[in-house]
Every structure is written in structure tokens, then in C-alpha cells.
Amino acid sequence: MVILSLVNQLKTIGFKVEDFNYVALSHTHFDHIGHANYFKNATWLVQENEYNLVTSDSEKTKNPNIYNAIKELTKIKKLNGDFDVFGDGTVVIKTMPGHTIGHQVLYIEAGLEKPILLTGDLYHFEKNRENKGVPSFNYDVAQTLKSMEAFEAYAKKLMLQ
Ligand SMILES: [Zn+2]
């Protein structure tokens, strides 16, 4: 198996990190922020509470690797809810907190045959979606369940089921 860096993966489809105006992460867990600093010229679209937490003094001390992975992202657009990235409904960030304080999912239809919803870690496995299973390490279990309901309602509205 060949593991390509994000930079090389982008190269295979004709992009460079400098080509991006925006970067968004579903949340700031270690397994979702790996190459974030490469996008230091882009504007980071992040829920304000997620940003405030990950950049807080206590988190910098407790999880320095997390902070170090995003610290070069200095162009910040703090969100407080859903955000229509281009103002035309083709790429929309939906706030779905619970897994982390500012977890978000992404609706994309731009350039695709069929729109998709990226769930981030709202669901880790298909089974989680079927049985509404919530990992005990989630930031807020009740909030996660509420987000799952909102996600399913949104998917149904979009007829993406
Ligand atoms: Zn996670």
C-alpha cells in the first residue's frame, strides 16, 4: 500500500495547496488535522467554540500536538452555525456538535454528479448510523444524538438517503 501525503494526493488531481481559499475541518481531533498547516494561506472556516477550545491555554498545555497541527492557520473565519461557503448553496457547512464542541459536517454539490454529505465523525461506522451509537468519549452524547436527528432530517430533505 502506498500512502500519499495530502500534498501529493492533490497533485494527482491537478491542485496545489496554494490553490485553496478556504479550509475546513470537521473537528480538531488528531486524526482529522494532519496536514492542516499546509493550508496556511487559506481561511480556516471553524466554529467559534471549537476554535476557542483548541487555542485555549489549557488545551495548548494538555494537547500540544493538536494545537501545533493548526497553529499556522492564522486567517480565521469563526462560525456560529451553518455557513454557505460561496453563497450559492453548493458548498454548505452544517454545524453538528456533540462529537466535539464545534463539530461540523459538509454538504457539497459543486462539481459532483450527485450531492454528498460528509459526516466527519458524527458517525464512525455505518452501524452507528443504524443504531444511533455514540462513543462514550464524545464531548456531549445528548448533543450528538440531536445532531444525528438534524443530519437525518437534512439528508431526507436533500433526498440523499
Ligand atoms: Zn473525532
Side-chain angles (χ1 to χ4, degrees), residues 26-32 99-100 103 121 124 137-138:
S26 59
H27 61 298
T28 55
H29 280 162
F30 75 96
D31 54 337
H32 292 259
H99 181 64
T100 61
H103 181 274
D121 273 355
H124 285 91
F137 59 83
N138 269 22

Side-chain angles (χ1 to χ4, degrees), residues 40-56:
K40 60 183 171 210
N41 295 321
T43 298
W44 183 18
L45 305 174
V46 57
Q47 298 297 323
E48 185 165 15
N49 51 9
E50 185 92 2
Y51 179 83
N52 289 344
L53 178 68
V54 78
T55 59
S56 68

